[in-house]
Amino acid sequence: MYIQKLLKECNLKQIMDHEAEIVRDTQTLHSDMQTLVYENYNKFISATDTVKKMKYDFNQMEESMDQLSKNMENISSFHDQISTTLQSTNHKIVRLSTAHTLLEKLQFLFHLPTNLKDRMNEENYAQAVHDYIHAQKVLNQYGNMPSFQGIQKDCEDLVDELKTKLRFQFHERDASTKSLTESVDLLLQLNEPADVLCADFLTCAETRLSQQLEDLNEMCENDIIEFVDRGSSGFLNDLCLIVASYKDMFVNRQSLDVNEFKDDFDTKAVSRLNNFIMNNMKKYFELIGRRVENVADTAVLVRALDRFYKKLQAMNVLCEDTDFARTGTEIVISAGRKQCRNHLSSLKQHLSEILAKVRQTLASKISSESDNSLPELQAMLVVPVVEKVKGILQDLLAFLQPELSFVLKPQFLQRFCIDEIREGLVVGFLYHLTATADGFCTGLEAPKFPPALLLLLSKMCLEFKDSNVHYLLTTTDELYNIEEYITSKNDLTSETEICENFQKAAQELLNHFVRLQGIAISQMLRKSVETRDWLHTIEPRTVRAVMKRVVEDIAAVEAQVTSLYGDSDGQVDRSSDSSRRTHSVSRHQYKSNWSSYTPSHLDSSIVSNIHKLFSERIEIFSSVQFNKASILIGIIKISLKTFLECVRLRTFSKYGLQQIQVDTHYLQLYLWRFVSDENLIHFLLDEILSSAVHRCLDPVLMEPSVVDIICERN
């Protein structure tokens, strides 16, 4: 069937190729089969040779075993003969050997006092104790014999002296823990009371550890890593050695009398040891806690804390009943908290230095005409502060390095990242920033700083509200993965709350700036009105200098405000001609109203005043907006309102009234360009002139053309 299928499906060439392939496979299989037969044949020949060799070796081994059996029989025969010969003298040899051993012991006893004294002089106390214990049983056995009583007494006296010397080592200041351990061990072998030795050992160890703590306290000025290494290699290592030695000598010692110690002493010994450990570790923790509070370099501090924490973990293995790692974590958290507070203090100091530098720069440029430096000072207030905060955040990341031994504690991460970094440092500094800004808004007396500083701080608060608060909080949350540790949104201070504080601070600063500038100009106007004799003044020929100074000061404020808040305040461009024309109409109106002023026209004056009562009221000290026009109008309102109140308190002659007319017209010519609502200026200046007319004994106004000529000439 296979061949028929092949003939149907394949052509002649494929059938011939297939035949050649089958021939090759057949030849290959035939060759492999021959090779396998040859290999098996060789193995069969080798096995035959091996069997022949084993047969020969077994023949030789049988002959050797026969010879060995004969030799063993001869040895047994000789042994029986020797045993029979020595049977009679065997008991004598045993007695002589026993007597020889006893003589050696007695000879050792006779030389024991001398040997003990020599060992004590050589300070080989261990060998002395060994010799005494080795001979003690014999002394107890033969001590009642007169010949041995003297030896026993001498040995007891020497042992008492040895005990005194061993106890004296407890009080030596330079005695090492190892030597103390050896001394206690020797005294225990001499059957000294373990309870007394336990107390003496811990008292001596307490003295040594206290001295090490004092030495460590004197190193507080050294490098923190050196300080921690010294504490670990010195104090903690000694404490570990003391604890281990104490346990070996008093707690785990198998040779102690069970009735004396194992029932009652174990509990007391362990309790005494725990108290000893806790008291000394408490002192050590207090010393470490004080030292890690004042470290400037965070990376160095973290390395030192990591070494400190790793050593505490080793202490936990030795002291199973205590958990020093928890106390170590508290110290680490306290160190991190103190480091955050130190950084917060440095941020506050940095802010104070920047503010002082800006104040100094402003004070040195008070007389300068240009205010182009205000944007640079603004950048000086914002950029270094933000960069400083970023640098501190990067610096504190050292506490979160994955290779640290304490960073894996969730308690540490949550308390450190949220409470200390975000809320304590970043949010705390932002609140300090607004509080510092608010501190400049107290009092209306002449400030000790340039008023332009208020303008800078207001702009700074706006920049923080618009971008920097979000940037700093987002950076903090991303660097420290705050989202992983918060359990409730109430745990975090919201960005909105902080921005509202900055908005409020910026508004207060700007309002205070307007008040201070307005009051400064008002003081000039008030003095200029109060110090002049308005009843005996001459005919006005010029504008008073104070009016020029007012315009100059407002122009200087405009330059400052423009450099920070720009010129996009929606102010409409107006020509001086239109303003002059509008104000001239007002002057004519006043002239027509008051040139014929007589008491019979009192009713018309009353009607005019009643009309003013129902007109729109101007809020003088209202909050200003964050644009140039609002700021300048706020200053001008305060200034002109002061001017108005001062005019109402004076009495004017005809020329005094005309001087007020010239002054108000001059202000109208130059103040209109600072505000967006020109009518407000018209209204206040009209009020001033109207009040002067009311307070004038001879209310005669100058011709508007004459007023224009005088103002243009100035």
Side-chain angles (χ1 to χ4, degrees):
M1 291 175 65
Y2 173 74
I3 292 173
Q4 289 176 358
K5 180 181 178 183
L6 193 64
L7 292 175
K8 289 179 181 180
E9 295 178 355
C10 300
N11 55 27
L12 180 60
K13 184 177 183 306
Q14 291 175 340
I15 294 173
M16 293 177 66
D17 292 340
H18 192 58
E19 180 187 12
E21 183 181 354
I22 293 174
V23 172
R24 285 195 302 272
D25 291 342
T26 305
Q27 291 175 351
T28 301
L29 290 174
H30 182 70
S31 176
D32 292 342
M33 185 175 61
Q34 287 182 344
T35 301
L36 183 61
V37 171
Y38 292 152
E39 288 178 355
N40 289 335
Y41 183 71
N42 290 332
K43 291 179 181 179
F44 177 74
I45 294 173
S46 176
T48 304
D49 294 339
T50 302
V51 170
K52 290 181 180 180
K53 186 177 179 181
M54 289 175 63
K55 184 177 181 181
Y56 175 76
D57 291 340
F58 276 117
N59 290 333
Q60 288 186 340
M61 187 180 296
E62 187 175 359
E63 294 177 358
S64 298
M65 290 299 294
D66 292 340
Q67 184 66 32
L68 180 60
S69 177
K70 293 179 181 179
N71 292 336
M72 290 299 295
E73 290 178 357
N74 293 333
I75 291 172
S76 298
S77 176
F78 286 130
H79 177 266
D80 293 339
Q81 294 177 5
I82 293 171
S83 297
T84 303
T85 304
L86 295 178
Q87 184 68 32
S88 59
T89 60
N90 188 28
H91 296 291
K92 296 180 180 180
I93 293 173
V94 172
R95 287 197 300 271
L96 289 174
S97 176
T98 304
H100 178 71
T101 302
L102 180 59
L103 289 175
E104 286 182 347
K105 290 182 179 179
L106 294 177
Q107 185 179 8
F108 177 77
L109 288 178
F110 284 121
H111 292 90
L112 181 60
T114 304
N115 291 337
L116 289 178
K117 194 168 185 179
D118 292 341
R119 299 289 185 270
M120 290 170 61
N121 292 334
E122 296 171 358
E123 297 185 355
N124 190 359
Y125 302 134
Q127 186 62 42
V129 172
H130 178 268
D131 291 344
Y132 177 74
I133 293 175
H134 181 68
Q136 191 174 16
K137 292 182 179 180
V138 180
L139 283 174
N140 293 336
Q141 183 177 358
Y142 299 100
N144 56 351
M145 299 177 63
S147 57
F148 290 101
Q149 289 179 354
I151 296 174
Q152 186 175 14
K153 186 176 183 307
D154 292 341
C155 290
E156 291 176 352
D157 293 340
L158 290 172
V159 168
D160 290 339
E161 183 181 352
L162 176 60
K163 292 179 181 179
T164 303
K165 289 186 176 183
L166 291 174
R167 287 183 177 278
F168 181 75
Q169 288 189 358
F170 283 20
H171 306 287
E172 289 185 358
R173 186 172 183 178
D174 299 332
S176 63
T177 304
K178 183 178 179 181
S179 64
L180 291 177
T181 303
E182 293 176 352
S183 299
V184 171
D185 185 64
L186 294 177
L187 288 170
L188 287 174
Q189 293 181 35
L190 294 174
N191 295 325
E192 283 294 290
D195 188 48
V196 177
L197 290 178
C198 171
D200 291 345
F201 179 77
L202 291 182
T203 302
C204 179
E206 180 79 27
T207 303
R208 284 181 49 77
L209 293 177
S210 298
Q211 182 61 42
Q212 289 196 0
L213 288 176
E214 291 179 6
D215 296 341
L216 197 61
N217 190 31
E218 295 176 357
M219 292 181 59
C220 284
E221 300 299 328
N222 293 26
D223 179 72
I224 181 63
I225 293 182
E226 181 183 354
F227 178 84
V228 171
D229 288 344
R230 178 69 178 273
S232 298
S233 61
F235 175 82
L236 292 181
N237 282 350
D238 271 7
L239 181 60
C240 290
L241 184 58
I242 289 169
V243 172
S245 301
Y246 183 92
K247 288 183 176 180
D248 290 340
M249 290 184 298
F250 300 111
V251 179
N252 302 327
R253 192 180 182 90
Q254 299 298 327
S255 60
L256 295 175
D257 187 358
V258 174
N259 294 329
E260 181 182 0
F261 282 92
K262 288 303 177 181
D263 295 337
D264 300 328
F265 183 72
D266 273 355
T267 304
K268 295 180 181 179
V270 172
S271 176
R272 185 177 295 174
L273 177 62
N274 289 337
N275 292 335
F276 171 80
I277 295 172
M278 296 305 298
N279 290 336
N280 284 278
M281 288 301 296
K282 181 180 179 182
K283 297 177 183 177
Y284 179 67
F285 286 144
E286 291 175 355
L287 186 59
I288 289 289
R290 291 195 302 269
R291 180 62 184 87
V292 299
E293 287 183 352
N294 298 308
V295 181
D297 193 331
T298 304
V300 174
L301 172 64
V302 169
R303 287 171 54 198
L305 290 173
D306 187 47
R307 296 186 182 186
F308 161 74
Y309 195 83
K310 286 180 179 177
K311 188 65 178 179
L312 289 185
Q313 290 178 325
M315 288 287 295
N316 277 348
V317 175
L318 184 63
C319 307
E320 299 175 355
D321 298 333
T322 56
D323 185 11
F324 295 123
R326 179 177 300 177
T327 307
T329 301
E330 294 295 330
I331 291 178
V332 171
I333 294 175
S334 177
R337 181 186 303 113
K338 186 63 178 179
Q339 197 70 4
C340 291
R341 292 177 181 175
N342 290 341
H343 280 307
L344 180 59
S345 299
S346 68
L347 279 174
K348 294 178 180 179
Q349 181 65 27
H350 182 67
L351 178 63
S352 299
E353 293 173 356
I354 292 177
L355 287 174
K357 187 176 181 180
V358 170
R359 289 174 63 176
Q360 182 179 4
T361 304
L362 288 174
S364 64
K365 295 183 178 181
I366 286 179
S367 60
S368 174
E369 295 292 334
S370 174
D371 290 288
N372 295 331
S373 62
L374 286 183
E376 298 178 2
L377 294 177
Q378 175 66 25
M380 184 188 302
L381 276 174
V382 176
V383 176
V385 171
V386 174
E387 292 300 320
K388 181 78 172 176
V389 175
K390 285 175 57 181
I392 288 175
L393 290 176
Q394 290 291 339
D395 182 62
L396 290 173
L397 278 177
F399 279 95
L400 303 184
Q401 297 176 31
E403 64 271 14
L404 297 176
S405 56
F406 55 79
V407 77
L408 300 178
K409 303 293 183 182
Q411 178 188 15
F412 171 79
L413 288 175
Q414 183 175 7
R415 293 174 59 182
F416 181 72
C417 295
I418 296 180
D419 298 344
E420 307 304 333
I421 299 294
R422 190 188 191 277
E423 298 297 313
L425 179 61
V426 179
V427 176
F429 176 69
L430 293 176
Y431 277 123
H432 172 75
L433 199 56
T434 55
T436 302
D438 290 337
F440 286 91
C441 300
T442 57
L444 293 176
E445 64 277 1
K448 299 179 181 179
F449 51 84
L453 181 61
L454 295 173
L455 205 59
L456 289 172
L457 290 175
S458 176
K459 186 65 174 178
M460 179 195 71
C461 290
L462 283 181
E463 286 194 21
F464 268 90
K465 191 249 328 179
D466 293 337
S467 59
N468 291 323
V469 170
H470 176 74
Y471 174 72
L472 291 177
L473 292 180
T474 304
T475 301
T476 304
D477 293 345
E478 291 176 354
L479 285 177
Y480 293 90
N481 297 323
I482 299 298
E483 295 293 336
E484 296 183 6
Y485 308 123
I486 59 174
T487 56
S488 172
K489 288 294 183 182
N490 295 329
D491 296 340
L492 304 179
T493 304
S494 67
E495 179 182 333
T496 304
E497 178 183 346
I498 300 174
C499 290
E500 289 175 355
N501 288 336
F502 274 101
Q503 177 70 27
K504 181 180 178 182
Q507 187 67 61
E508 290 295 328
L509 286 165
L510 196 59
N511 291 343
H512 197 63
F513 170 78
V514 169
R515 293 189 186 101
L516 288 179
Q517 294 288 14
I519 290 173
I521 297 175
S522 298
Q523 292 295 330
M524 292 191 301
L525 292 171
R526 184 176 64 83
K527 290 180 180 179
S528 70
V529 174
E530 293 177 352
T531 57
R532 191 179 182 92
D533 186 0
W534 295 99
L535 291 175
H536 300 89
T537 186
I538 62 175
E539 185 178 358
R541 291 290 181 266
T542 183
V543 179
R544 289 189 298 150
V546 67
M547 299 302 161
K548 300 178 183 179
R549 178 67 184 276
V550 168
V551 174
E552 291 174 357
D553 287 355
I554 294 177
V557 173
E558 181 194 27
Q560 293 177 347
V561 175
T562 303
S563 65
L564 290 179
Y565 288 94
D567 217 0
S568 58
D569 51 12
Q571 185 171 338
V572 181
D573 187 19
R574 299 171 301 275
S575 65
S576 60
D577 293 337
S578 65
S579 298
R580 187 185 303 116
R581 188 164 51 252
T582 302
H583 199 56
S584 299
V585 172
S586 298
R587 302 288 84 74
H588 285 295
Q589 182 181 0
Y590 282 122
K591 181 178 179 181
S592 63
N593 289 339
W594 291 100
S595 60
S596 58
Y597 176 78
T598 61
S600 63
H601 296 93
L602 183 61
D603 293 340
S604 63
S605 176
I606 294 174
V607 172
S608 176
N609 290 332
I610 292 175
H611 176 72
K612 291 179 182 179
L613 291 176
F614 292 96
S615 63
E616 183 178 357
R617 183 180 179 183
I618 299 175
E619 185 69 31
I620 302 299
F621 291 99
S622 61
S623 294
V624 297
Q625 299 176 3
F626 295 95
N627 58 68
K628 183 183 73 173
S630 180
I631 295 172
L632 293 177
I633 195 61
I635 297 173
I636 292 173
K637 284 193 300 184
I638 295 173
S639 304
L640 296 183
K641 182 64 175 177
T642 302
F643 193 11
L644 173 62
E645 296 301 325
C646 291
V647 167
R648 286 177 176 175
L649 297 177
R650 310 301 296 178
T651 302
F652 299 91
S653 64
K654 180 179 72 172
Y655 293 142
L657 172 62
Q658 291 175 359
Q659 183 65 61
I660 294 295
Q661 182 184 5
V662 171
D663 291 344
T664 55
H665 186 68
Y666 179 83
L667 292 177
Q668 171 62 32
L669 291 177
Y670 291 97
L671 292 184
W672 67 271
R673 60 189 178 89
F674 297 121
V675 299
S676 57
D677 185 6
E678 188 177 355
N679 293 327
L680 182 63
I681 302 295
H682 294 329
F683 180 81
L684 290 173
L685 291 174
D686 289 345
E687 281 288 308
I688 293 171
L689 186 57
S690 176
S691 296
V693 170
H694 278 286
R695 299 293 299 172
C696 181
L697 299 177
D698 185 13
V700 179
L701 295 173
M702 295 178 68
E703 289 295 329
S705 59
V706 177
V707 176
D708 289 339
I709 293 172
I710 294 174
C711 292
E712 289 176 356
R713 190 169 56 196
N714 289 271

